[in-house]
Every structure is written in C-alpha cells, then in structure tokens.
Amino acid sequence: MGKSLSRWRRQGKRLGIAVLFVVVGAGLWEFQERQHKDDYTWMGVPTWDGFHPTTFHRVLRNDGFLAGWSDVRANALWVSYQVEAVADDTRIGSRPNFKADWRTLWPIGTDSYAGSGYDRGHLAPNYAIAAVHGRSAQVDTFLMSNMTPQRPNLNRQLWQRLEESVMDHFAPRFDRLQVITGPIFPERFMDNVFNRVGFVEVPEAFYKIIVVPDEEATLALAFIMPQDVRGNEPLDDYLVTIDEIESRTGLNFFPDLSSEREAVVEGLLRTQGWALEEVARRPGRFQ
DNA sequence: TTTAGTGT
C-alpha cells in the first residue's frame, strides 16, 4: 500500500515536471514569436475578418521579413518588413539563386514561371532587404514563396521605380519605414481561379503601403499598380488610401491602431511631407 | 547587367 502510494507520488512529480517544461517552453516560444513579429511589423500583423478561403493564410517567418502565405492562391497575401536609411554607396551581395520553399506545400519550382510571359517578381525586394538586413535575409527574398507573377513592364519599370524610391528617397527622409506589400486579385474568386502560372494564381494588381511608424505623427502612403502598365507612368497616378487596399484584399492592416487614428491614417489620402513630386517621374534603371 | 528579370 505504502509502496504504491510513493510510486504514485513519484509519477505525479514527473508529470508535474513535464507539464512545467511544456508551459515554460510554450511561453518562451510565444515570447519569441511575438518578439519576431514586433521586429517586422508595426501595430500588428495583418488580420482578416471571418472565415474566407481567399483571405485565410499562415505566417512564414523569414530573415528580414514576414510573409502571409495563402495555400489557396499560392501567393503571399502580404509581406511585412522594415527598412532604414543606408549609406548612398551601399553595395549588396550578388543576386542569389531562386529557391523552392518547402513550407508552401505546393511544389513551386524555380523554373515554374518559364515561358509564361510573367516575371518572378519579388514581393519583399532584394535590394532593400539585403542593404538593411544582410546576406541571409537577401537569400530569403529569393524563396519562391516571395515571388508572384508580374508582367515585365511592371516588375522591371514602374514597380522597380517605386522600390527604388523607398530606399533612395523615402527612407533617408524619415530614417525608418514600415512597408507592407502584396497582390490584389479579381473580386470574384471563380473568375480567376484557373488563371495560374503553375500552381500560382496570377494577381491583377499589386499594393504597397509605406508608413512612418511614429506614434504621434504617423504618415502613410499607399499605391495600387495594375499588371498592364507601360512602366513610365508617374508614380502618383497610383496613389490610393489604405482603406481601398483593405476593401480589395479583405485584409485589415495595422489592427492595433486606435479607431480615431485609423480613420486618419487609413482613410485619408495625404501626400504632404513625402516630396513625391521629386521621384514620381524619375526614370527606371532598366529600359 | 547599379536596387528588375528572361533566355541563350
């Protein structure tokens, strides 16, 4: 009797220790996860309301950026990263090779865009991530989970000019920026469901949100650029409010923003302070 | 090939 009681106690103790390990481990994991998200986002990662297969996604952690991966669209619905001003003469390492990403589940190979007429367009950009976050982050931007089918005129010209403006014009003005970028799909899922490059659904447009993450004086600039552009259009032709991007993507950006500030930051189109006119017509590098 | 790529 006494023997079985002490064995029971011993087992109880072991179980207690195991539970303690799980609790502490889960707590550390959660802490680390939150830390990681805080480093790469501002006012929370994008969320969505209700259950919709087209907005449902899971967060992939990369070095230098997060990606909200949709298994339904085989696209990242958003990528989130921060940049800061770097020296004018900053050089980055040579372009890494594109790389398949096993986390996507879909077998998206580096050659799966070949002959499609679409470029493998970066969502989180090579240059900005490399210049700010280093080589291993740069390598992660070449994961196929960070690619989306983009028409060459957009990717190599208009979109490239926008990305260049972020690092060469906006970042030096404000020191630090929060950027969220991603694809936009036609309103009706069935209209576009078979419009794919391999497994990857082809977006009709792309958005980029650029925010000065200042508690008091939040400035935000947002763009939507369609696939079919010539490439030399002025950047400010594509300005939109964050609200418009939210309504076209079904996502909620900066969910931790108070509703009063959200109304201003997301609902109004304010370009004061950005000196957009200085870069809007700057030519691209590749034409 | 200056921060974007494809294709030979």
Side-chain angles (χ1 to χ4, degrees):
Chain A
M1 193 62 180
K3 214 171 171 182
S4 72
L5 184 67
S6 73
R7 194 167 63 197
W8 187 84
R9 277 197 184 134
R10 231 178 11 246
Q11 283 182 346
K13 206 163 161 186
R14 278 197 205 126
L15 183 66
I17 289 170
V19 167
L20 188 69
F21 261 92
V22 169
V23 169
V24 169
L28 283 175
W29 173 263
E30 170 66 19
F31 175 77
Q32 198 206 10
E33 196 73 14
R34 192 164 301 176
Q35 188 77 36
H36 200 86
K37 286 182 177 172
D38 285 348
D39 288 346
Y40 297 158
T41 63
W42 177 77
M43 292 290 160
V45 294
T47 59
W48 72 95
D49 294 327
F51 181 83
H52 298 290
T54 53
T55 48
F56 178 81
H57 61 262
R58 53 197 168 91
V59 178
L60 305 181
R61 293 169 36 162
N62 296 306
D63 198 353
F65 66 103
L66 298 178
W69 178 260
S70 163
D71 294 293
V72 172
R73 316 207 98 136
N75 270 258
L77 302 183
W78 55 266
V79 298
S80 176
Y81 56 94
Q82 299 194 352
V83 297
E84 51 197 63
V86 296
D88 285 348
D89 58 352
T90 299
R91 313 289 292 214
I92 60 167
S94 61
R95 287 170 69 87
N97 292 324
F98 290 92
K99 212 171 84 183
D101 187 345
W102 59 270
R103 298 171 301 177
T104 61
L105 303 184
W106 295 109
I108 303 166
T110 56
D111 58 349
S112 65
Y113 286 42
S116 68
Y118 289 95
D119 279 1
R120 294 174 288 190
H122 280 71
L123 287 171
N126 168 36
Y127 175 77
I129 296 288
V132 177
H133 300 284
R135 180 65 183 179
S136 112
Q138 178 184 17
V139 168
D140 281 357
T141 69
F142 280 78
L143 287 167
M144 290 306 292
S145 55
N146 187 44
M147 298 303 145
T148 187
Q150 266 183 337
R151 291 249 103 114
N153 282 1
L154 176 63
N155 185 38
R156 305 174 191 188
Q157 297 192 56
L158 189 66
W159 193 257
Q160 188 279 329
R161 287 165 52 214
L162 179 58
E163 288 178 340
E164 183 165 327
S165 300
V166 170
M167 285 308 284
D168 292 359
H169 183 69
F170 301 135
R173 282 183 85 78
F174 300 108
D175 214 38
R176 205 163 67 91
L177 299 169
Q178 168 69 53
V179 185
I180 300 184
T181 198
I184 291 178
F185 298 93
E187 194 166 354
R188 285 160 39 128
F189 179 62
M190 288 311 291
D191 288 350
N192 200 52
V193 69
F194 298 118
N195 181 17
R196 292 184 184 244
V197 171
F199 296 100
V200 182
E201 191 177 344
V202 179
E204 65 176 359
F206 302 89
Y207 67 88
K208 190 179 288 289
I209 302 171
I210 306 163
V211 168
V212 181
D214 184 294
E215 291 297 331
E216 280 93 45
T218 310
L219 290 179
L221 215 53
F223 299 86
I224 292 179
M225 294 178 169
Q227 290 274 22
D228 79 354
V229 293
R230 292 188 312 277
N232 57 358
E233 296 88 346
L235 298 179
D236 47 9
D237 280 5
Y238 301 95
L239 282 169
V240 294
T241 62
I242 296 174
D243 278 349
E244 180 169 346
I245 300 175
E246 289 188 336
S247 87
R248 288 187 65 180
T249 58
L251 299 172
N252 178 21
F253 300 103
F254 316 114
D256 299 344
L257 216 51
S258 73
S259 49
E260 305 85 62
R261 294 181 57 218
E262 184 179 352
V264 176
V265 173
E266 301 190 0
L268 303 179
L269 211 161
R270 301 177 303 161
T271 57
Q272 301 94 315
W274 293 91
L276 241 183
E277 64 284 357
E278 290 178 23
V279 283
R281 290 165 192 279
R282 203 175 274 180
R285 320 173 82 85
F286 309 106
Q287 36 189 350

